[in-house]
Amino acid sequence: MSCQRNFNRLSMPDNLKDILLEFCVSYLVEQPGDFVTYAVDYFTRLRDNRQNQIIQSEQTCVSTPDESVEDEPPLAALQKFASRRKSVFAETYNPEEDEEDEGVKSIHPKSDEQRQRLGESVRNILLFRSLDKEQMADVLDAMFEKTVQTGEFIIRQGDDGDNFYVIEKGQYEVYVKDTMIHKYDNSGAFGELALLYNMPRAATVKAISPGTLWAMDRQTFRRIILKSAYKKRKMYEDLINKVPMLKSLESYERMNLADALAPKDFDDGDQIIKQGDIADGMYFVEQGVVKITILDDHGREVEVNHIPAGGYLGELALVTHKPRAASAYAVGNVKLAFLDVEAFERLLGPCMELMKRNIEDYEDQLIKIFGSKSEISDVR
């Protein structure tokens, strides 16, 4: 108890808060598969960058302007930002403390045609790849259309960040000072870094043709992106804790697994897995029920199992490296968490022996149903 009281009296230095906050945001944006490796790499680069900056300062006795650009991948740009001491997050956003009223959201009305065009534009945006249907609906609601003309400056280097932009059409040039460093041609997105890190714009973006952009304001952008990443982690950690097979994983392994999962939604009757297909990953059932069927000798589908919430399916084809030996269908609306084959092999090694032992149990079930031992490796 005395140790706990002493710990509670400790205060965190401001510089440590800044560093840890930058790291947490970088981690939420990148969502790497291996937390420990990512952390080691991040802090090693932070140390090396700061050492290089000290050497350069001693040699030149002047500050070198930061030439990070808005369109760099989040990790690459963050490593440059992290190399200099600064005050970040003047408007600190903590997902855990956000008591946002779900009824109060940023909504810009759109026609069906506008919504369809916006959906096409954001489909391949990296920052939105882990959002589920509800979160993507919030993104579409929150964005507003902006028409630009040739020669118009969308953002200027040094200005405060106001919006994040997704390109629907048009060509745009990116400048650092007077040097053009990149060109967008009818696709892409820019402006996220200044919003995430409360930094001035690191580059200028200029339209060189008439075009259309979709924009989202700073607060909405940060709330959707950061809170969705936080909620995804918590949700999948809770799901993983309910799967008996995964109890053999260490805490950090379960955390890495949570980060690697991707949401997939299915409506009643949708086919999730098709018998005979090559396995691309496995699924954890977050909500709903999944029906498992296999083809009998007459080519008719026979139901052999139901997988409820907290269960999983598709793993044995990955273990045995054989095609799918069963089909899976949604019963009602189903929410699944998908783990691709690469992440499966990287993260679920400790569970492999248990999954292999389960093969015999599945074959025993088939004998009871069909009266003989079929060549089934994925009846889940």
Side-chain angles (χ1 to χ4, degrees):
M1 291 294 294
S2 61
C3 291
Q4 182 65 42
R5 286 196 296 271
N6 290 335
F7 178 80
N8 292 336
R9 287 197 292 268
L10 294 176
S11 60
M12 184 179 295
D14 289 340
N15 61 342
L16 180 57
K17 286 182 182 178
D18 285 349
I19 291 173
L20 292 179
L21 194 54
E22 289 177 351
F23 170 72
C24 290
V25 172
S26 175
Y27 182 84
L28 288 173
V29 172
E30 284 291 299
Q31 299 184 27
D34 189 330
F35 171 80
V36 175
T37 300
Y38 181 84
V40 170
D41 180 69
Y42 176 91
F43 287 109
T44 299
R45 290 176 181 272
L46 176 61
R47 179 199 62 193
D48 293 344
N49 286 339
R50 290 191 170 183
Q51 289 176 344
N52 291 338
Q53 186 183 36
I54 293 173
I55 294 173
Q56 291 172 2
S57 297
E58 291 174 346
Q59 291 174 343
T60 63
C61 295
V62 296
S63 297
T64 302
D66 188 352
E67 296 186 352
S68 300
V69 296
E70 295 286 343
D71 62 306
E72 288 191 55
L75 178 58
L78 186 78
Q79 289 162 352
K80 292 185 179 181
F81 282 137
S83 67
R84 60 183 190 180
R85 181 70 178 93
K86 56 189 177 294
S87 175
V88 297
F89 283 102
E91 305 166 10
T92 301
Y93 174 71
N94 184 339
E96 193 166 14
E97 295 177 356
D98 186 357
E99 299 296 336
E100 174 194 6
D101 182 351
E102 292 298 329
V104 180
K105 296 181 180 180
S106 177
I107 298 178
H108 295 271
K110 301 172 183 68
S111 67
D112 291 341
E113 186 267 341
Q114 284 179 309
R115 201 170 183 86
Q116 182 177 359
R117 288 193 287 113
L118 174 56
E120 291 294 326
S121 297
V122 303
R123 177 176 298 174
N124 297 316
I125 300 301
L126 181 66
L127 287 170
F128 299 152
R129 66 182 177 181
S130 65
L131 302 184
D132 59 25
K133 284 185 177 179
E134 291 80 3
Q135 292 162 341
M136 276 304 303
D138 289 343
V139 167
L140 299 185
D141 286 339
M143 302 196 82
F144 56 93
E145 192 172 15
K146 178 180 174 64
T147 301
V148 299
Q149 303 301 322
T150 302
E152 183 175 343
F153 288 90
I154 316 304
I155 62 177
R156 293 179 183 269
Q157 187 174 359
D159 285 354
D160 291 335
D162 53 355
N163 295 318
F164 166 68
Y165 296 97
V166 174
I167 298 170
E168 179 182 326
K169 64 180 178 180
Q171 295 181 320
Y172 306 83
E173 292 179 342
V174 182
Y175 292 86
V176 172
K177 295 187 176 179
D178 296 324
T179 304
M180 191 184 78
I181 60 170
H182 187 71
K183 183 177 179 180
Y184 291 104
D185 188 0
N186 290 293
S187 65
F190 57 86
E192 71 275 14
L193 297 181
L195 304 191
L196 284 171
Y197 307 117
N198 259 6
M199 300 292 295
R201 296 294 194 187
T204 294
V205 178
K206 177 182 178 181
I208 59 171
S209 73
T212 302
L213 300 169
W214 292 98
M216 181 190 296
D217 69 79
R218 172 204 297 265
Q219 290 296 339
T220 304
F221 172 82
R222 292 172 69 186
R223 183 169 59 248
I224 290 177
I225 298 302
L226 296 186
K227 189 170 185 177
S228 67
Y230 172 79
K231 289 172 67 176
K232 172 179 177 286
R233 160 71 70 80
K234 297 297 292 182
M235 177 182 67
Y236 285 154
E237 282 182 344
D238 291 342
L239 173 64
I240 288 169
N241 289 335
K242 296 175 183 177
V243 179
M245 178 188 72
L246 302 179
K247 292 187 181 298
S248 62
L249 296 177
E250 299 292 339
S251 176
Y252 76 92
E253 291 173 324
R254 289 196 293 271
M255 184 170 59
N256 288 339
L257 178 58
D259 289 334
L261 293 172
K264 286 185 179 292
D265 296 335
F266 296 89
D267 296 325
D268 184 38
D270 285 352
Q271 187 173 60
I272 301 166
I273 289 175
K274 182 179 180 181
Q275 185 171 345
D277 282 356
I278 300 299
D280 58 348
M282 70 174 294
Y283 299 85
F284 296 89
V285 183
E286 177 190 341
Q287 179 181 311
V289 175
V290 176
K291 178 178 69 175
I292 306 300
T293 69
I294 63 174
L295 297 174
D296 63 15
D297 293 340
H298 303 289
R300 294 173 298 192
E301 283 193 306
V302 178
E303 185 177 318
V304 296
N305 202 0
H306 275 80
I307 310 298
Y312 54 94
L313 58 143
E315 80 286 2
L316 293 183
L318 302 180
V319 174
T320 61
H321 303 288
K322 294 181 179 179
R324 301 288 193 191
S327 296
Y329 296 90
V331 179
N333 295 326
V334 174
K335 287 180 175 290
L336 301 177
F338 177 69
L339 184 70
D340 66 47
V341 61
E342 181 180 344
F344 172 86
E345 294 175 350
R346 184 177 74 249
L347 299 173
L348 292 188
C351 305
M352 200 68 70
E353 287 303 316
L354 178 58
M355 286 186 281
K356 288 179 178 178
R357 288 199 298 271
N358 286 342
I359 295 177
E360 294 183 2
D361 294 336
Y362 301 152
E363 290 181 337
D364 289 341
Q365 294 177 27
L366 292 175
I367 292 174
K368 293 178 182 178
I369 296 171
F370 293 99
S372 63
K373 198 170 189 178
S374 303
E375 295 180 359
I376 301 297
S377 62
D378 192 28
V379 181
R380 290 303 307 273

